[in-house]
Amino acid sequence: MTAYPDATALYTRLQRDGFAFVTADIMRSLLQAPMLADWPAFAASWNDLAPDSYLAASGRHRRRRHATFAADAGGEVQRRPHQPHYQSLEYNRLQGDIQRWFEPVLPVIADGASLRRILDFCRDCFGALAPATRSWHIEVHQFRIEARADEAGEPTPEGVHRDGVDYVLVLLIDRENIESGTTTIHARDGGLLGSFTLTHALDAALVDDVRVFHGVTAVTPLDPARPAHRDVLVVTFKAASERVL
């Protein structure tokens, strides 16, 4: 478990290793927790996600909402019109090469203090790692993975993968009555670079998607008689314009 006393230490770790696990206490500091003014409502919005109808029958117990934003380097993050999520087969063997339309993130959440602070943090963090990038295409995914007594929940049904972007933030919102859900980080040759489990709200994984692969092990209920889920926010940043020469 590694602590990051300031943002510079986090940038150094990401530049060196291509990924970082950040504990909730450090993320609270980095996100300036008092700015997460609507956090209770933000976290509760995971109770109002729509089923992911694109999944195969064996992994249908996933709910989500999706939104797209854009930002100039150091500029305001702005929401873009609702649009599909697209990945090529190179990055998603299960659902690549199709336009997937998901229910949008609710306006009150998209415009709320918590999400806006998280997006500003990502812009500053990823912008510091890629100072030549003029503007960013940003996607936000609210995910709930449900685990049942007769079927484990699959946070990454496509297996160990890359998302086809530049940088990824995975932020834990809640986990209820589940075990496992271990994040693994891999080199291009498949070698394991690191592993950790997001267990507390605001535990986070930051990933340089160009350099490393990532995956999450299946989650199972601790008590099969009770509902079980893993809620995460995934934010991806991809360069959206030509780079400065």
Side-chain angles (χ1 to χ4, degrees), residues 60-161:
R60 196 171 291 278
H61 306 309
R62 180 164 75 179
R63 297 177 178 273
R64 69 193 294 176
R65 287 183 182 271
H66 172 252
T68 304
F69 297 80
D72 294 332
E76 180 183 358
V77 177
Q78 298 182 334
R79 189 165 187 179
R80 301 300 302 272
H82 192 50
Q83 56 192 269
H85 174 55
Y86 178 85
Q87 292 173 297
S88 71
L89 278 172
E90 177 184 359
Y91 297 109
N92 190 325
R93 293 169 295 175
L94 291 180
Q95 300 159 332
D97 285 356
I98 59 173
Q99 292 188 340
R100 288 182 285 166
W101 287 92
F102 299 110
E103 289 297 311
V105 173
L106 296 173
V108 68
I109 300 303
D111 296 330
S114 292
L115 184 57
R116 289 301 174 146
R117 175 61 198 129
I118 293 165
L119 292 177
D120 285 349
F121 162 77
C122 289
R123 178 204 59 212
D124 294 343
C125 178
F126 300 145
L129 296 170
T133 299
R134 285 197 176 109
S135 61
W136 296 102
H137 172 77
I138 305 164
E139 295 194 44
V140 167
H141 306 262
Q142 293 179 282
F143 284 108
R144 168 166 287 182
I145 306 301
E146 299 172 334
R148 304 184 181 186
D150 60 346
E151 189 172 4
E154 294 284 353
T156 53
E158 64 271 43
V160 174
H161 66 286

